């Protein structure tokens, strides 16, 4: 086992509970930059005081993940099993809930081991690998999952790190293959899931409490859902008694996927009740403003970065302009739900920017509710771990 020295500030961060180590955190980066993926290291400060154990797992977030502050802990399948059992116990209420059959089962560093996440889809598993270092121990994870009391039927995986042409990024790994689609429930809302087919399964579990809120608030309201993908927010709104919903996304596949989700919930798919528009979100906003078309509730969950034929959007620089326009098409007395998952966009800065967008819009806006990650997404104190920010504004003239 090799010892590597951290700079003082990095040592203090680790002592405070952060798990992510960047290459520049080391006293001598050149001494470790070529370390093999998955290598286990001891980390100390410049006074040779032990700070923790970590494994090398390069990804866009950083270079390595701390997994223990205890010198005596052994990197082993048994250690993985302990972390996984604790994760199961933390989610027991979800596991026992018959109205919800899809959720995050293991949330990387929030559950003690960075570099991967594991999602539960009604006894089928989806593993997301974010680094080769984490993937190196794949066999341990597969054994733990198959040996668990959860009655796993089949396992899929997605490699989100660079791979060569001989590898498949998305595939079925073991057990039975899931039906296509696999219908899961979320607080009795139903969603069609296609495991093993795409980078995203069509439902972001981290927004579950936001969907619940929208369902509770939507009765009698007209609802606009932008960057709608498979219309998950629109389903919640319609089930909550919305007078009508409009779902807008530029991706062609969104049309059939959205229609399917409406149908399995026994909801109308006609343009009067639940309209689906395949077009650029920014073009739709322009159309709504030109037509003086406004809504009782506007929901917007854009990607951190997006490029279409006519527009380039970056959350950090362009969300103020986007939100200004959204406030302008929200009716007086209406709600505007604004979301970002950009890890570098702090909640304080997001609130500051959205308040400024409200001022620029000419509307009076008041922040009345906010959401972060739900209970199945525990986070570490690392800023990149606490990524989700959702703000609900009340709009008036």
């Amino acid at each position: 086992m090799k010892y590597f020295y951290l700079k003082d500030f990095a040592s203090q961060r680790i002592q405070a509970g952060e798990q992510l180590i960047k290459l520049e955190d080391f006293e001598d980066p050149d001494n470790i930059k070529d370390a093999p993926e998955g290598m286990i290291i001891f980390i100390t400060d410049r006074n040779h005081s032990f700070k923790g154990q970590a494994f090398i797992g390069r990804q866009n977030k950083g270079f390595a993940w701390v997994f223990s502050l205890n010198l005596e802990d052994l990197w082993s399948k048994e250690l993985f099993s302990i972390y996984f059992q604790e994760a199961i116990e933390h989610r027991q209420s979800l596991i026992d809930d018959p109205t919800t059959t899809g959720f995050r089962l293991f949330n990387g560093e929030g559950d003690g081991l960075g570099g991967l996440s594991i999602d539960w889809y009604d006894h089928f598993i989806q593993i997301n690998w974010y680094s080769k270092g984490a993937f190196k121990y794949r066999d341990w994870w597969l054994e733990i999952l198959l040996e668990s009391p959860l009655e796993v039927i089949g396992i899929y995986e997605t490699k989100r790190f660079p791979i060569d042409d001989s590898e498949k990024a998305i595939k079925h790994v073991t057990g039975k293959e899931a039906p296509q689609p696999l219908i899961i429930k979320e607080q009795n809302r139903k969603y069609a899931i296609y495991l093993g087919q795409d980078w995203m399964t069509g439902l972001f579990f981290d927004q579950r409490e936001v969907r619940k809120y929208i369902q509770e608030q939507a009765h009698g309201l007209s609802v606009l859902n932008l960057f709608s993908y498979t219309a998950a927010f629109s389903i919640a709104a319609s089930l909550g008694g919305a007078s009508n919903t409009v779902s807008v996304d530029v991706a062609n596949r969104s049309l059939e996927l959205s229609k399917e989700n409406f149908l399995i919930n026994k909801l109308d798919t006609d343009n009067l009740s639940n309209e689906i528009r395949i077009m650029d979100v920014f073009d739709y906003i322009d159309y709504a403003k030109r037509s003086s078309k406004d809504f009782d509730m506007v929901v917007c969950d854009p990607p951190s970065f997006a490029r279409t034929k006519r527009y380039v959007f970056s959350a950090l620089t362009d969300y103020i302009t986007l939100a200004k326009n959204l406030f302008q098409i929200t009716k007086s007395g209406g709600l505007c739900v604004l979301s970002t998952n950009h890890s570098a966009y702090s909640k304080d800065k997001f609130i500051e920017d959205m308040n400024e967008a409200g001022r620029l819009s000419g509307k009076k806006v008041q922040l009345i509710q906010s959401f972060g990650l739900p209970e199945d997404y525990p986070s570490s104190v690392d800023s990149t771990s606490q990524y989700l920010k959702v703000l609900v504004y009340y709009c008036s003239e």
Side-chain angles (χ1 to χ4, degrees), residues 6-7 10 21-29 61-63:
L6 292 180
K7 295 175 182 176
I21 304 175
K22 298 180 180 180
L23 185 59
E24 56 266 30
D25 290 333
F26 291 93
E27 286 278 7
D28 186 3
K61 289 183 178 181
F63 184 78

Side-chain angles (χ1 to χ4, degrees), residues 7 15 62 91 175 227 301 315 344:
K7 295 175 182 176
Q15 203 74 26
R91 294 158 175 82
F227 302 97
D301 182 24

Side-chain angles (χ1 to χ4, degrees), residues 13 39 43 58 156 193 231 236 246 248 262 280 286 303 327 335:
R13 292 195 345 254
M39 177 181 173
I43 50 178
R58 297 171 180 84
Y156 290 78
I193 303 297
V246 179
V248 184
F262 280 113
D280 192 301
D286 289 343
F327 286 136
L335 299 175

